[in-house]
Each structure stands twice: as structure tokens, then as C-alpha cells.
Amino acid sequence: MYYPMKLQAPLKDYIWGGTKLKTDYGKQTDLEKVSESWELACHKDGQSVIVNGEAAGQTLEDWLKTQVKSVLGTRGARFPYFPLLIKLIDAKDNLSVQVHPDNDYAMRAEGEYGKTEMWYIVECEPGASLLYGFKQKISKEEFAQRIADNTLLEVCNRVPVHKGDVFFIPSGTLHAIGKGIVICEIQQNSNTTYRIYDYGRVGKDGKPRELHVEKAKDVTRLEPPTRSAKPLATLDIFADADAELLATCEYFTTYHFHLHGEVKLTAGMGSFQSITVTEGSLGLAAEHGTVELSKGETVFLPAGLGDYTVQGEAEFLISEV
């Protein structure tokens, strides 16, 4: 019997993080800061735990091992691994300038798949910005020289951000979240990151954080991004919700809903779904269970769950493959 599974997220306290995920998004922890909350995670570096129903106390990954593969849906079942990792990220300070490899390179070099991802800007401070590709196309020689002489930021494409902006980041795209931004990140299930530049910071051990310059040179696309920072489409089909298609690719599709009432949705046989609430609260009712979700909470809906209803005043993201 499939039912809506509310998840407890593993939390990360990287040096650039803040406290908003504790104070504003309900994360209970003794950590001084919470940089990332891994809302949907079946990865060796972090595991979501089911907190309700008959599977309560199990990691999502362990529960999935007891199920037929159709629980991921016909599209989800084509992946040899659980395909998604979804995070809430609170950047109090700038993140490192970084890049992620594609599947082929990552499997050869790291033994896991690469990372294509998207960012949804949940909130941001006035004047906040991020790095997204390059201002113009540059050569490999210039890229290497600018890394060596610390002038890389001069050619990076800095973009001002606003709540609701969407950044699609294919593998190989140079990027860096800027300070004062909270995002929801939907990505391939990978934790491979190559740091190119880190503002000379040191880690908890007092030593400069590791850079991965040679690998970054191998995989970085030395050109401007091609997508705008806007949702792909408005979905004018719900009386009690404003809905948008944020991004879609071979790895994931994500929608944003601004709910002000009641909406009927379906988790069909094509894919599982994940719902993350970014503002307000809602109730979710399916045939075999109900859950209440508040800001900063996530629920996993197995493929084939069927029709369900969401009701309340809330903003949330639905992600599937």
C-alpha cells in the first residue's frame, strides 16, 4: 500500500551557510548553522528518513529496496540509481566558483554520475547576485591563465536575482550561488563538485579548502549560458493555484505552485513525485493517507499513488523524472 511519505532531511553545516533553515524553515538541529537541507536524498553522503506511516524510521533508500522498481515509475525505472537529489540551500556567504562534470567524465573519475541541476530562487536579499557561466566565450588558455592569476571573476557572468527566478545549469556550466540567497536545488543524484576558486577561504581545519582546477579545466564549458532566468511556461489550468513549469530535461521536471485553495493532482505510473513547501502550509490527502506540510518540509509520493488533493495557502515545488 503506497501512501504520502513525509521525510526528515539530513543537514549540512558548510562554512558559507546561515541559520535561516533553522529559524525560518523549521529544521531542528544542534548545528550552529545549516547550509543545506537534503530534502529528498538517497545518497551515501546523506539519507532522507521516512517519519510517518508503516515505514516510519526507515531511510527512503532502504524502503525502496523492498519495493518493485515500478515504485519509481516507468521513467524513474530507467535509471540504475535513485535519480534525484533535492536541497534547500541557505547561502549567508558566497559559495565557491565551481563546476560539475557530465555522466561520462564523472563515472570515469569519481565512480558516480555527473550533475545537471536547476535552482529556484526561494528568497534573496536586495542586491543579491550569482555567477552563471561566462560573459563571453573564452579560450582554454585564457581560462587557465585567469585561474592562475586570480582574475577569473572578471570574465564570469554575474546575474542579479529575484524571488521566483529559475537557473538551469547543465553539467559543465561554471556557477556560484551568491550571499544572501535561499534556493531550492533540483539535481541529479550526485555530490561531485569541482571547486575552481574559493576566495582564499580556509576550512574547519584551518587549511585552504581543496581546489580541483585540473578537473575543472577538463569539463568547463567556456561560454555564456543560453537560457533566461524565467520559468518555461505558465500553466493556466487551476482555479485555486497559479502554476508554472520551471524546467524540464532528461533528468527531471519541476513545477512551482502558488496555492490559494484546493487543487486535485495525480501521481501516475510515469514517475514518483516530490513536493517541497517553500512558503505557508498545506494539507495533502490521498486514498491511503494524509499529511500536513509546513514551510521547509517535503513529502515523497510513490509512482502509482494515484489522485491526491492539496489544500491551503502555500507555495511549493513538485519534482518528478
Side-chain angles (χ1 to χ4, degrees):
M1 180 179 71
Y2 293 160
Y3 65 96
M5 295 179 165
K6 195 171 180 178
L7 302 178
Q8 179 180 348
L11 307 176
K12 308 293 182 178
D13 63 343
Y14 307 131
I15 62 172
W16 42 261
T19 58
K20 286 183 178 180
L21 295 182
K22 293 173 62 174
T23 59
D24 298 355
Y25 293 80
K27 302 305 177 183
Q28 303 295 314
T29 177
D30 292 331
L31 295 174
E32 181 179 346
K33 62 179 68 173
V34 179
S35 310
E36 297 184 353
S37 172
W38 289 21
E39 295 296 305
L40 179 70
C42 296
H43 192 277
K44 61 182 177 62
D45 296 333
Q47 295 279 339
S48 295
V49 176
I50 301 164
V51 299
N52 66 314
E54 61 185 23
Q58 295 185 55
T59 66
L60 178 60
E61 183 172 61
D62 283 345
W63 179 80
L64 288 170
K65 289 176 181 177
T66 69
Q67 306 299 308
V68 294
K69 201 159 187 182
S70 60
V71 71
L72 298 180
T74 54
R75 296 192 298 276
R78 64 190 170 89
F79 294 93
Y81 58 98
F82 187 78
L84 289 188
L85 177 57
I86 297 177
K87 305 174 182 177
L88 290 172
I89 298 177
D90 173 21
K92 184 178 180 181
D93 198 358
N94 295 316
L95 273 70
S96 61
V97 181
Q98 57 190 239
V99 68
H100 307 298
D102 64 15
N103 290 338
D104 290 342
Y105 189 97
M107 285 301 296
R108 292 197 312 271
E110 313 297 339
E112 73 169 359
Y113 286 85
K115 188 195 295 190
T116 285
E117 62 190 356
M118 63 149 281
W119 297 339
Y120 175 77
I121 307 299
V122 177
E123 61 174 284
C124 58
E125 296 176 1
S129 63
L130 53 78
L131 300 184
Y132 183 41
F134 293 89
K135 294 177 183 178
Q136 64 276 325
K137 188 172 183 178
I138 65 172
S139 66
K140 290 185 177 180
E141 292 74 20
E142 181 179 358
F143 184 46
Q145 184 59 46
R146 288 189 175 277
I147 292 172
D149 62 21
N150 285 322
T151 62
L152 180 64
L153 297 186
E154 294 178 7
V155 293
C156 292
N157 180 41
R158 183 170 293 279
V159 184
V161 300
H162 310 87
K163 174 180 166 59
D165 284 349
V166 182
F167 293 89
F168 182 74
I169 304 169
S171 59
T173 304
L174 176 146
H175 59 277
I177 305 170
K179 62 183 178 181
I181 301 174
V182 175
I183 73 167
C184 187
E185 178 177 282
I186 293 86
Q187 58 162 92
Q188 286 181 264
N189 189 9
S190 170
N191 200 29
T192 294
T193 296
Y194 297 151
R195 291 193 199 104
I196 306 170
Y197 176 79
D198 196 37
Y199 306 93
R201 290 182 292 202
V202 297
K204 294 178 181 179
D205 59 2
K207 299 178 181 179
R209 296 208 299 168
E210 182 182 6
L211 300 180
H212 315 91
V213 171
E214 294 308 314
K215 290 179 177 178
K217 289 178 184 177
D218 289 341
V219 304
T220 302
R221 303 182 186 191
L222 305 175
E223 55 193 29
T226 58
R227 294 205 187 192
S228 75
K230 300 302 176 187
L232 290 180
T234 298
L235 307 177
D236 189 18
I237 55 177
F238 300 103
D240 288 350
D242 303 311
E244 300 169 311
L245 171 62
L246 298 183
T248 186
C249 65
E250 61 183 305
Y251 304 114
F252 53 78
T253 295
T254 300
Y255 304 89
H256 173 263
F257 281 73
H258 189 174
L259 177 68
H260 41 83
E262 181 177 292
V263 168
K264 296 185 183 299
L265 299 166
T266 301
M269 296 304 299
S271 174
F272 67 89
Q273 293 179 0
S274 175
I275 295 179
T276 298
V277 178
T278 58
E279 190 65 55
S281 60
L282 61 85
L284 187 153
E287 181 180 1
H288 297 299
T290 63
V291 293
E292 298 292 325
L293 297 171
S294 299
K295 180 177 179 178
E297 293 188 317
T298 292
V299 65
F300 174 80
L301 306 177
L305 178 80
D307 296 338
Y308 63 93
T309 301
V310 290
Q311 185 176 39
E313 296 286 335
E315 292 187 46
F316 60 92
L317 303 184
I318 298 180
S319 298
E320 60 184 19
V321 295

